[in-house]
Amino acid sequence: MTSPQRILVTGATGQIGTVLSAALRAAHGSDAVLCTDIVTPPPASPCAERFATLDVLDAARLRALVAEHRIETVYHLSAVLSARGEADPLRTWEVNVNGLINVLEAAREGLIARVFFPSTIAVFGPNVPPNGTPDDAVLNPTTVYGMSKAAGENWCAYYHARWGVDVRGLRYPGVIGHQSLPGGGTTDYAVDIFHQALENGRYECFLAADQRLPMIYMDDAIRATLEIMAAPAEQIRRRTSYNLQGLSFSPAEIAAEIRGEMRRRGIGELEIVYRPDYRQAIAASWPRSVDDREARQDWNWRARFELPQLVADMLDNLAAHATCTV
Ligand code: AKB
């Protein structure tokens, strides 16, 4: 049984925030979770209830919300992702680094007790072993998003070492879920392909057919987040961020699995064409899989979803939703 906490989620209307906020409400009670974002959620969103507008660069507003709602834990999800980040590098750095520092400062001052920081496989660049990249491989990111997250990891470790801030982080791979849409990432294709397959039977992919990347199903990503935050503090030996491996696949592999499953269900066909754009160079600079042994050893992390289960669950949920809304 999870002990109840008062929680603030930044970036709560985003792809992971939407689902994590609902999971936190299920675990701690609806009144315990304050969703915040710069974007106001639509009334039907699970975040619409107990929502406050927050720009993470506004440190005074963050402090005021923390005090007003007696917040103990912040899940700091606000960030500009890899592909969108390249359009405005300085703004991306500002949001991703200064937004985090505003949260860490609130923790240093004792206003909050715990922080969750989402890092990413984008902290790695081309000069690492591409398969089973270890936690401590050199960080030489090629995007401003990766640079900002690598800096963020070091800020987290610094606040922990110097002021004892209880901050915990995960290097998320591409996250795939039916509940919400991603925005601005290089791995977004792996969600979009399902929607296009069901709506049009055709997908134009912005990555190359054989570009394998580390990915994770949303259920696993949310469970990992809840598990690392629930682990005893002494088990969290890495205060930068932990590698998190779910599964790895290429666009051709996921397309084949979706096509096969759609045929088995008699719900259509999928044609895929490849038109790699600037995001292909970003993807090519990332690992194909990461070694998450340290997460498994320190707080018992285990991924559950492999490609066939992931595809079946996505189609179950998206097809059911399409049927209900027609
Ligand atoms: C992105 O593609 O930018 C993100 C990530 C891997 O961090 N999904």
Side-chain angles (χ1 to χ4, degrees):
M1 172 76 187
T2 318
S3 52
Q5 293 164 26
R6 283 182 297 277
I7 293 166
L8 184 149
V9 182
T10 71
T13 68
Q15 184 203 13
I16 300 174
T18 304
V19 190
L20 181 63
S21 301
L24 290 168
R25 284 184 167 160
H28 298 279
S30 293
D31 291 346
V33 181
L34 180 68
C35 292
T36 73
D37 209 309
I38 201 163
V39 180
T40 306
S45 161
C47 293
E49 198 194 328
R50 269 182 75 74
F51 175 85
T53 305
L54 173 65
D55 176 347
V56 292
L57 296 176
D58 186 345
R61 169 90 174 139
L62 172 68
R63 279 180 164 71
L65 288 173
V66 162
E68 183 187 342
H69 297 273
R70 294 175 299 125
I71 298 297
E72 297 162 299
T73 304
V74 172
Y75 290 76
H76 177 51
L77 301 185
S78 287
V80 183
L81 299 190
S82 58
R84 186 167 298 152
E86 294 304 285
D88 193 345
L90 297 186
R91 170 82 184 155
T92 303
W93 180 267
E94 189 185 14
V95 171
N96 293 2
V97 179
N98 295 349
L100 170 65
I101 287 177
N102 287 341
V103 175
L104 290 174
E105 277 291 284
R108 182 180 69 78
E109 290 168 16
L111 302 177
I112 50 179
R114 276 171 302 275
V115 177
F116 174 75
F117 169 66
S119 187
T120 166
I121 54 159
V123 294
F124 296 117
N127 300 341
V128 298
N131 296 304
T133 308
D135 278 288
D136 283 325
V138 63
L139 304 186
N140 55 357
T142 59
T143 59
V144 69
Y145 168 63
M147 286 161 53
S148 68
K149 289 292 184 174
E153 288 192 2
N154 285 311
W155 276 116
C156 289
Y158 183 81
Y159 271 76
H160 176 72
R162 180 135 188 218
W163 293 295
V165 170
D166 187 356
V167 52
R168 305 167 184 209
L170 295 175
R171 289 177 181 150
Y172 288 128
V175 179
I176 300 152
H178 56 85
Q179 303 93 328
S180 52
L181 293 173
T186 302
T187 58
D188 293 8
Y189 91 86
V191 178
D192 203 23
I193 190 172
F194 284 95
H195 292 272
Q196 296 301 323
L198 290 171
E199 282 160 34
N200 308 317
R202 186 175 190 278
Y203 185 61
E204 190 172 305
C205 185
F206 56 75
L207 296 187
D210 61 352
Q211 182 59 61
R212 290 194 117 217
L213 286 171
M215 301 280 184
I216 193 167
Y217 199 43
M218 182 68 83
D219 298 38
D220 277 343
I222 298 298
R223 187 169 50 78
T225 309
L226 300 181
E227 285 177 2
I228 193 177
M229 291 304 280
E234 61 279 9
Q235 281 177 228
I236 308 302
R237 293 184 306 136
R238 290 186 70 80
R239 293 294 179 157
T240 46
S241 256
Y242 283 89
N243 280 1
L244 190 68
Q245 172 73 19
L247 68 166
S248 289
F249 56 77
S250 65
E253 287 166 333
I254 193 170
E257 187 66 35
I258 295 171
R259 189 181 299 117
E261 192 60 27
M262 287 175 72
R263 282 182 187 160
R264 270 191 289 284
R265 294 172 185 224
I267 55 170
E269 280 294 328
L270 170 61
E271 181 202 349
I272 182 161
V273 290
Y274 297 96
R275 297 207 205 292
D277 64 16
Y278 70 100
R279 288 168 281 192
Q280 173 54 32
I282 297 176
S285 76
W286 290 350
R288 292 194 273 272
S289 65
V290 295
D291 181 347
D292 61 4
R293 208 173 327 176
E294 290 196 36
R296 287 189 272 122
Q297 280 164 1
D298 287 1
W299 45 277
N300 296 320
W301 160 245
R302 298 281 179 285
R304 292 186 185 149
F305 279 81
E306 289 296 338
L307 191 56
Q309 296 86 45
L310 180 155
V311 168
D313 204 62
M314 283 293 283
L315 290 178
D316 285 347
N317 283 285
L318 292 177
H321 182 71
T323 314
C324 295
T325 53
V326 175

